[in-house]
Amino acid sequence: NHIQGQFFADITKEVFLDLEDGKYQYTEPRISIYGRSQDEWNNLASWFVDHKVYSKNARWMIQIPRWDDMYRKKEDGIKNFAEMLANIFKPIFEATINPIKHPKLARVLENISGFDSVDDESKAELIGRYDELPTANNWTNQRNPPYVYYNYYIYANIASLNKLRKAKGLNLFDYRPHCGEAGSPVHLSSSFLCAKNISHGLVLRKA
């Protein structure tokens, strides 16, 4: 905005100061990266570093809303699912490979604990025969990909990214999606295979 997010940054730092005074309190605030543009990471990194929005008592989670279909409906929107994935993960790979070229984003990544996937799980979606679905670069139809599809591609990118970051001695990322609040039990089974942990799990008893 017109003040580059200073008000939000000041409020956040006030909370962090209280946590640091308490010594044994920690928080994991969430902030969204939508995948509409690769500039999202640059904007976040500038806000984060310029306002010094970091603390030893806080680690950030990156939320990825499952809104691919909404972005493609816009006239200037993304063309396919692969483009959304590239907007989310390409800047992180670049900052991991060459942190000197991307110093602000590299600083942000040091303070990220993991990634979350969020949306209304109860929405109707395609279930079954996932092997017949098009690959990410060919997913251009107006339907939003199913939960399992998001799970696989987000997990695959995080796994590759973690392997690279481990080789460079950098911090690694968890994948902990919102899962099991509503919707198909298939969400739970796919997250069992892909995720380190889940949020909610309210339908575990029914599954």
Side-chain angles (χ1 to χ4, degrees):
N1 57 20
H2 294 298
I3 57 174
Q4 286 72 53
Q6 182 176 344
F7 180 70
F8 180 46
D10 288 345
I11 293 175
T12 303
K13 288 190 289 185
E14 285 284 343
V15 174
F16 288 173
L17 285 173
D18 288 342
L19 293 172
E20 291 167 8
D21 288 341
K23 295 184 180 180
Y24 307 111
Q25 300 179 73
Y26 297 85
T27 187
E28 195 178 58
R30 282 162 162 72
I31 196 162
S32 292
I33 290 292
Y34 298 90
R36 291 174 295 191
S37 165
Q38 292 184 29
D39 289 339
E40 291 176 51
W41 278 111
N42 292 330
N43 293 335
L44 172 59
S46 294
W47 173 79
F48 190 90
V49 174
D50 294 348
H51 294 294
K52 297 181 173 62
V53 190
Y54 39 81
S55 167
K56 62 182 181 181
N57 292 64
R59 289 294 180 270
W60 293 78
M61 282 286 286
I62 300 298
Q63 291 189 156
I64 302 175
R66 297 188 300 276
W67 293 349
D68 169 71
D69 56 330
M70 294 176 61
Y71 307 150
R72 282 185 285 105
K73 288 176 182 176
K74 297 181 180 296
E75 187 173 337
D76 58 345
I78 59 177
K79 298 178 179 64
N80 53 50
F81 189 72
E83 187 176 342
M84 187 192 81
L85 291 170
N87 290 340
I88 295 170
F89 290 104
K90 184 179 178 181
I92 316 176
F93 275 98
E94 291 177 347
T96 297
I97 293 169
N98 192 348
I100 295 176
K101 187 177 179 181
H102 307 277
K104 290 184 177 180
L105 182 50
R107 183 73 176 90
V108 172
L109 296 178
E110 293 173 0
N111 289 269
I112 291 175
S113 56
F115 291 80
D116 188 359
S117 174
V118 295
D119 194 17
D120 179 5
E121 276 191 77
S122 66
K123 290 180 179 178
E125 64 174 9
L126 178 66
I127 298 292
R129 301 311 303 262
Y130 298 115
D131 57 328
E132 297 180 355
L133 296 178
T135 55
N137 60 315
N138 290 318
W139 191 287
T140 57
N141 64 57
Q142 294 302 311
R143 294 187 65 176
N144 199 29
Y147 187 98
V148 172
Y149 195 89
Y150 274 94
N151 248 3
Y152 169 75
Y153 277 102
I154 294 174
Y155 157 77
N157 277 277
I158 293 173
S160 297
L161 182 61
N162 277 342
K163 188 171 183 179
L164 173 63
R165 292 181 68 82
K166 184 177 182 180
K168 295 173 71 67
L170 301 172
N171 62 299
L172 308 182
F173 306 125
D174 294 342
Y175 178 42
R176 290 186 264 126
H178 273 63
C179 179
E181 184 179 18
S184 170
V186 174
H187 299 180
L188 291 167
S189 60
S190 67
S191 292
F192 178 78
L193 295 172
C194 297
K196 181 174 182 179
N197 211 325
I198 64 171
S199 300
H200 294 301
L202 300 178
V203 301
L204 276 169
R205 291 180 182 177
K206 298 178 181 178

